[in-house]
Amino acid sequence: MDLIISSAIHRSGSTLLQRLFNARKETLIWGENGGCLTEFCKILNHTNHHASFNHRDIYFKSGEDANQWIACMTPPKHEVQAVMIQTVRTFHEGLYVKKYHKQHDMIGYKEVRYGKKELDLLRKCYPNCTIILLVRNPINVWKSISTRKSMKKMYGSLGRFTKIWNARVNSYLALSRSDPNIYLVKYEDIVAQKAETINLIKRVGHLENKDINRVLSKKIFSTSKPVPQNTIKFIRKQCGPIMRKIGYLS
């Protein structure tokens, strides 16, 4: 994997950013894959838990005596992470890279479900991968989500939505400050064609102005239904501190 777009939450503009990078024919950014790294993180956590038992050592030290109590034949804990990294790389290589690397010199995908644990695992698997963390004003995100029944059901209440947005964006801020190859990008700055943001996208994606203009000139899907004032007030109250850090509130 060369480039990963990780959106803090659905309806934050990850498809637009994907389209921008795919404007270059030698770049292949896949769409969402169901949050596969979340499942790998679960496996890693479970395996680490069971690896804390030392029944395996007891068995081998006994000369592999079948009459020993050997409930958990677990691997040494120090080997677990290395094997998981190899597994994740094999998974990505087989599904997204192997058949396509001859025609593309930059391959990656976008996802809208990743938090800190998934991105930490991704960084361990791909130390040199560029990661773009995408955020959008939560008021406009909810405006879009609330008009789609399946997504509204996914996030449940407005309160749960704001908690997820806060947690994800807060972790994105920390990650972008700790890793020189992780960049925090605001959807609004892309649409407004803010020079600093556009130059970053051009540099990372080896794009030219004509590529950027060709994509941004075509708008795909939009939501015109206004957000009720009481909803706006609630979001600002719940997300205010993080919104100020991002620059959505003064």
Side-chain angles (χ1 to χ4, degrees):
M1 294 286 109
D2 304 298
L3 174 62
I4 297 295
I5 301 168
S6 184
S7 177
I9 208 161
H10 285 83
R11 308 305 300 168
S12 294
S14 61
T15 300
L16 174 60
L17 196 49
Q18 176 193 18
R19 289 171 54 219
L20 283 169
F21 286 119
N22 280 345
R24 176 177 177 266
K25 294 301 182 182
E26 294 81 12
T27 298
L28 174 61
I29 304 299
W30 295 85
E32 299 156 27
N33 55 26
C36 62
L37 282 179
T38 300
E39 302 307 315
F40 284 114
C41 285
K42 290 178 182 178
I43 294 171
L44 179 59
N45 287 338
H46 288 313
T47 308
N48 272 328
H49 170 72
H50 286 285
S52 62
F53 301 105
N54 66 348
H55 300 158
R56 174 175 175 158
D57 293 339
I58 295 173
Y59 178 67
F60 284 112
K61 287 179 180 178
S62 72
E64 301 184 45
D65 183 357
N67 289 322
Q68 291 288 330
W69 183 67
I70 50 172
C72 299
M73 285 292 287
T74 56
K77 196 166 185 176
H78 68 273
E79 295 180 1
V80 171
Q81 182 168 278
V83 172
M84 179 54 67
I85 289 172
Q86 180 183 353
T87 301
V88 172
R89 289 179 64 90
T90 300
F91 174 86
H92 284 142
E93 177 72 21
L95 293 181
Y96 304 110
V97 178
K98 190 175 182 180
K99 296 179 182 178
Y100 308 95
H101 74 277
K102 290 183 179 179
Q103 295 80 28
H104 305 90
D105 57 18
M106 182 179 293
I107 297 178
Y109 62 87
K110 76 179 183 83
E111 189 51 81
V112 295
R113 299 169 175 85
Y114 291 166
K116 185 178 186 304
K117 62 181 181 180
E118 290 89 355
L119 293 169
D120 281 344
L121 177 58
L122 182 71
R123 173 54 80 223
K124 291 173 183 176
C125 294
Y126 301 100
N128 300 319
C129 175
T130 298
I131 302 174
I132 293 184
L133 306 178
L134 184 65
V135 300
R136 187 182 183 186
N137 190 312
I139 295 172
N140 292 326
V141 174
W142 180 254
K143 177 182 178 180
S144 185
I145 286 177
S146 63
T147 61
R148 292 164 171 78
K149 290 183 179 180
S150 61
M151 286 190 182
K152 192 172 181 180
K153 184 178 180 180
M154 183 187 305
Y155 288 100
S157 67
L158 179 59
R160 183 171 183 272
F161 162 79
T162 57
K163 286 181 180 178
I164 294 173
W165 189 90
N166 277 330
R168 293 265 179 84
V169 176
N170 195 44
S171 68
Y172 280 18
L173 280 167
L175 286 166
S176 64
R177 291 167 180 166
S178 63
D179 190 318
N181 207 20
I182 292 182
Y183 303 95
L184 186 72
V185 171
K186 292 163 60 177
Y187 168 78
E188 293 81 3
D189 290 343
I190 299 174
V191 175
Q193 299 190 46
K194 187 175 179 180
E196 183 179 355
T197 299
I198 296 300
N199 287 337
L200 169 65
I201 293 171
K202 286 166 58 179
R203 177 171 60 80
V204 171
H206 306 296
L207 297 166
E208 299 179 5
N209 285 328
K210 64 179 181 180
D211 302 316
I212 300 291
N213 295 334
R214 186 169 68 251
V215 173
L216 292 182
S217 64
K218 183 174 179 59
K219 192 173 184 179
I220 300 179
F221 303 120
S222 63
T223 305
S224 58
K225 185 178 178 181
V227 180
Q229 282 301 312
N230 62 329
T231 299
I232 293 175
K233 289 180 181 179
F234 181 86
I235 294 175
R236 284 177 175 169
K237 181 179 179 180
Q238 299 300 315
C239 302
I242 305 298
M243 291 177 73
R244 288 186 181 88
K245 289 182 180 179
I246 296 292
Y248 290 136
L249 289 177
S250 57

